[in-house]
Amino acid sequence: MVPTEVAFVTDRDGNEEIYVMDEATGAATNLTAHDATDYGYSWSPDRTALAFGALAPAQEGAEPTLQIFRLTSTPARRFSSRGWRGTTPTPSGRRTARA
């Protein structure tokens, strides 16, 4: 079965947040409703998790932290405080690879 969810970043709520939209219904859900600005995302290979960068307002000038959001549970959890650029989740979603 092919997942029918599309992830996207928007600032419709005042800061950049990550949403998932069901292609069939068009219903969008905010996954990251918090004060941090969320930068980009990468699906896990099995599409059950999203990795993304989050930069809290007090962290201006710092690297975003790497967050993992499992679509089967909430909330997102911080995976790394050393930045997120160039990372991709492994198939299990438990680790990331950095290019």
Side-chain angles (χ1 to χ4, degrees), residues 3-98:
T4 61
E5 294 174 320
V6 175
F8 63 97
V9 176
T10 181
D11 63 358
R12 67 174 70 173
D13 291 335
N15 69 322
E16 292 184 17
E17 303 284 1
I18 298 174
Y19 282 72
V20 172
M21 181 180 70
D22 183 291
E23 286 182 314
T25 66
T29 303
N30 184 341
L31 299 181
T32 59
H34 54 204
D35 292 340
T37 298
D38 302 309
Y39 292 86
Y41 60 86
S42 178
W43 283 103
S44 63
D46 65 1
R47 295 182 62 93
T48 61
L50 285 167
F52 62 94
L55 182 62
Q59 292 179 305
E60 290 302 322
E63 281 246 358
T65 60
L66 177 64
Q67 306 279 323
I68 303 290
F69 188 94
R70 292 195 178 284
L71 298 179
T72 57
S73 64
T74 56
R77 69 179 180 93
R78 185 171 66 177
F79 192 77
S80 168
S81 59
R82 294 179 43 207
W84 67 281
R85 289 174 177 78
T87 60
T88 301
T90 61
S92 70
R94 293 183 186 177
R95 294 188 170 89
T96 59
R98 187 174 285 228

